[in-house]
Each structure stands twice: as C-alpha cells, then as structure tokens.
Amino acid sequence: MSFGPVSLGHANHGNHGNAQRQSAPQEDSPRHTARHPHPLSPVPDDGPSPPSPPPSPSLRFGYGTNGLADLRLDDALALLADLGYDGVGLTLDHMHLDPLAPDLAARTRRVAHRLDTLGLAVTVETGARYVLDPRRKHGPSLLDPDPEDRARRVDLLLRAVRIAGDLGAHAVHCFSGTLPPGRDPDPGASTDKDPDTNTAWQRLAETLTPVLDAAATAGIPLAIEPEPGHLLATLADFHRLRRMLGDPASLGLTLDIGHCQCLEPLPPADCVRDAAPWLRHVQIEDMRREVHEHLPFGDGEIDFPPVLAALAATGYRGLTVVELPRHSHAGPHYAELSLPFLRRVQTAAQAVAYADPRPPSLPASTAHPADRQRSSSHAVLPSRPSPAANPSVAPPGEPSATPEGSTP
C-alpha cells in the first residue's frame, strides 16, 4: 500500500499532532518532518475534570504481516500475540503463506492451528509484491488486456477465499489494479466518456463475478480497497462498482484511513460514517494530504480520536489493521509502538463521542452542514477537496508506483 512518497499536488506539510516516539533502526526510512506536541499529550490541570464518558464498544486491532516481512510467519504471529494484538492482516506471499506453493491445504491448516492457539483473528490480504510475476510488482491485475493474465489474478483471489475459509477469516481483501500502460485517461476528463476506462470497469466487474460467487458460497465477504492511482481509487468508485454488479451481498469494502486523508474530499471520520454499511475491513496508518506515503502514527496529519470514535459508533467489529509495509526493516519496533498509541486514541475517542454524539445511522453525506462543521472541528488539519474526483497518483502506467491494495 505504500510506495515511497508520491505527491498528488501541493501537499500541506503542516505536521500537527505528531507523537514523540523512540528512534528505530533506520534503513531507507521515509523522510520525517519536525514534530509538534501530540493532541493526546498531557495538558496542565486548569480546573475540575469533566465527567467520565460512558464505555464504548472496543475496537479490535491487528498488524499486517506485510510490515513484518523479515520475520518467519510463526515468529510474527507470536510477536503480535505477545504484544496484545487482537489479530493479523495476513498477506499471502512467498515468505509467509505462499498461495502457489505445494501442499497449500496442509500449510493453511498449520497456520489455522497457530492462530487458534495464539487467539488471533485474521483477515486475508492479497497485495503481495511479485507473487504472480517476478517482473511486475503487482501484476497481472484484474484489468490486464490478456484474458489469461486476468485469469491468474482471479485464481489467486479464489485461492484466497478458500484459505480464508480454512482460517476462519472475517474477510478477503483485494484491489482493482491500475489501467494498463498508455491507457490512462486524462484526469480531468469524464471517465464515462473514455472508452479505455469504460472497458476497464467492465473487465473489473466481469473478473470479480466468479470471486464474489465463491465468497458468497464460503460466507466470507470480498472487501475491495480503493487505492490511489488505481481504477477503483475512491469511495465514489466503490459505489460505481457496487451498482454495476447489482449490489451483491458478498461485496464489501476495505477502508484505508490514510487513503481517506490522502485523497477523499471528506475528512477520514466522515468517510468512516459514509462507508459504514459496506465496511468489512479497515487498514490504518498516518498520512498527509495528497501524498500517498504510509507513515507511522504521529508522522502525518490525521487526527485519530474522531476516526476511532466513528468506527466504534458504526458498530464495526472487524479488525483495524496497522499497515506499514515500508517499515518492515524495523517491523517489531513499530508493532510495539502502534498498539499502545491506538489504545490511547481509543480512550480519547470515547471522549470525542461523548462530547459530540452523532447517530451512527446518519451518514456524513446527509448530515446537516452545522453537524459537518462540528465534526471537522476535531481534525488537526481539515481535509481539502481533491482537485479531481480520481486524480492520478503515479505517472501513467507505472506499476512500480502502485500501492498495497497493493503493497509496494
């Protein structure tokens, strides 16, 4: 999901709300900006404490194995259990659970037993690098012109559904992929009038249909992720696909909180409320506006208490998985720091919800403007509308710049 800093325009580099963190071993780590006091930092006591908020449903936090790529899978799972995580986002890849290697059923049974022993829930993710092609990072995709190439990606997703059933996973994650090289539409043009884009949407719907049928049979939702730079890049794009397919019950949504900050016209908390009916999987990390770079908590611009308050208010009970694939060189360090941060934010989120209740049945898109303004007042940096509904993040057709919905 991350692929190094890729600018979408003039990013706002205000780095409000950054947490102080101990330094980690460095190896090709992203550039960090100066830090300011985090909103969760202690403040001077200037009067009586407000009444304690009522308890809210606890969210379940996980960590993605794409951020622990240097560890054996058994070691990664043991680490997450020891740290207190509730689950894991398990990326199917050659170094952990290889979906293409022999004896897949037996290896999957061993992983299922390990997860059960450690008490870890699981989501199956399918954004591994080079898993299908040693020369194309995330190829082939569901959009490839060659039907045999598309069939290879479909086969991977069908395997993922079977693995998820054997593991007792609560969702299978996937992504659309990018338009083939040389077929990128003008970002300012209407995609409805672009023949290449219309063909891509038709291919996406057709190739996903057998996967959705398999997911329905298995009783496991397929949760597609809007990825910056992909054909399906925004929540609006998700709804376009959903309508094309006739709103199948087996089609759900993976919502990446960082992508909301990066790309969506609404603040991340409002995105959560809008996405609630279809939400099946959540990924979380910090990020800046218009820069698709997955960052450790505190290094970006996201105000997290309203986000977790919104997630709790929707009743979401799946995993909320930390996704830092570019930080595997220090994966155990970031895994150790991330969970305490999220737990502190969850406590603060209860206070946000207590001070600013909003019925979970009221989507942000239908909220009164005054309510929208009040929600945005919690944000460290209010999101600005993107200049285009689906801006291009990477140079046209550059697969090396595709994210993890896709892991870079």
Side-chain angles (χ1 to χ4, degrees):
M1 304 192 176
S2 53
F3 45 82
V6 177
S7 176
L8 296 178
H10 298 290
N12 188 328
H13 293 291
N15 199 23
H16 305 283
N18 290 342
Q20 295 292 335
R21 299 179 294 104
Q22 51 186 301
S23 60
Q26 297 299 312
E27 175 184 307
D28 298 330
S29 58
R31 182 175 62 252
H32 299 316
T33 58
R35 299 188 176 120
H36 302 283
H38 195 277
L40 300 185
S41 300
V43 297
D45 185 7
D46 55 0
S49 299
S52 299
S56 64
S58 293
L59 298 173
R60 299 195 300 161
F61 298 116
Y63 201 92
T65 58
N66 62 2
L68 297 168
D70 294 319
L71 275 65
R72 297 178 182 87
L73 181 56
D74 275 0
D75 293 339
L77 297 179
L79 170 72
L80 297 181
D82 287 345
L83 291 175
Y85 282 91
D86 302 295
V88 58
L90 176 59
T91 296
L92 302 181
D93 56 27
H94 63 278
M95 68 279 247
H96 284 154
L97 181 57
D98 189 338
L100 303 179
D103 300 322
L104 177 59
R107 289 183 289 110
T108 301
R109 285 194 296 271
R110 287 196 291 271
V111 174
H113 177 72
R114 184 70 168 151
L115 290 167
D116 185 63
T117 300
L118 295 172
L120 293 172
V122 62
T123 297
V124 171
E125 303 201 354
T126 61
R129 308 176 184 97
Y130 304 107
V131 69
L132 293 176
D133 189 325
R135 292 177 175 83
R136 289 189 287 171
K137 187 179 292 185
H138 297 298
S141 79
L142 298 170
L143 307 179
D144 272 34
D146 187 336
E148 292 186 3
D149 279 349
R150 295 198 300 274
R152 291 170 61 200
R153 177 62 62 171
V154 170
D155 176 69
L156 174 66
L157 294 180
L158 291 173
R159 288 170 181 260
V161 170
R162 291 194 293 270
I163 291 169
D166 291 341
L167 296 180
H170 68 80
V172 172
H173 150 280
C174 70
F175 55 95
S176 70
T178 62
L179 284 171
R183 302 172 74 95
D184 235 18
D186 178 353
S190 170
T191 57
D192 292 332
K193 298 179 181 179
D194 186 281
D196 288 342
T197 303
N198 281 333
T199 297
W201 279 106
Q202 292 165 7
R203 282 178 181 162
L204 180 60
E206 290 169 1
T207 52
L208 277 181
T209 296
V211 184
L212 289 166
D213 290 344
T217 300
I220 298 171
L222 184 71
I224 194 164
E225 178 184 8
E227 278 283 346
H230 284 213
L231 177 70
L232 196 154
T234 65
L235 288 173
D237 293 332
F238 166 74
H239 290 301
R240 174 175 178 167
L241 176 66
R242 182 175 60 81
R243 289 189 296 268
M244 288 180 67
L245 290 167
D247 198 16
S250 54
L251 178 64
L253 175 70
T254 292
L255 188 68
D256 188 302
I257 301 303
H259 295 172
C260 296
Q261 175 69 21
C262 171
L263 194 62
E264 296 285 350
L266 295 177
D270 283 349
C271 291
V272 169
R273 283 184 280 267
D274 273 0
W278 303 275
L279 201 55
R280 301 295 180 265
H281 183 45
V282 173
Q283 296 167 341
I284 193 166
E285 68 286 312
D286 217 338
M287 203 168 287
R288 302 185 185 100
R289 185 66 180 168
E290 298 184 350
V291 181
H292 187 189
E293 179 185 5
H294 288 230
L295 300 172
F297 297 120
D299 283 2
E301 299 167 343
I302 298 177
D303 184 29
F304 286 96
V307 175
L308 296 196
L311 274 175
T314 66
Y316 173 70
R317 294 298 295 139
L319 288 174
T320 299
V321 173
V322 178
E323 190 185 24
L324 293 173
R326 285 282 180 176
H327 293 74
S328 275
H329 65 276
H333 172 82
Y334 288 108
E336 183 175 2
L337 293 182
S338 295
L339 185 59
F341 176 89
L342 289 170
R343 294 297 186 202
R344 290 196 302 271
V345 170
Q346 186 171 9
T347 299
Q350 294 183 17
V352 169
Y354 183 57
D356 182 20
R358 180 184 299 183
S361 60
L362 177 62
S365 59
T366 61
H368 188 276
D371 291 335
R372 185 74 58 78
Q373 177 65 31
R374 182 173 58 180
S375 172
S376 297
S377 69
H378 292 296
V380 173
L381 180 67
S383 297
R384 295 179 283 107
S386 180
N390 189 355
S392 176
V393 180
E398 183 179 329
S400 63
T402 59
E404 140 113 343
S406 65
T407 312

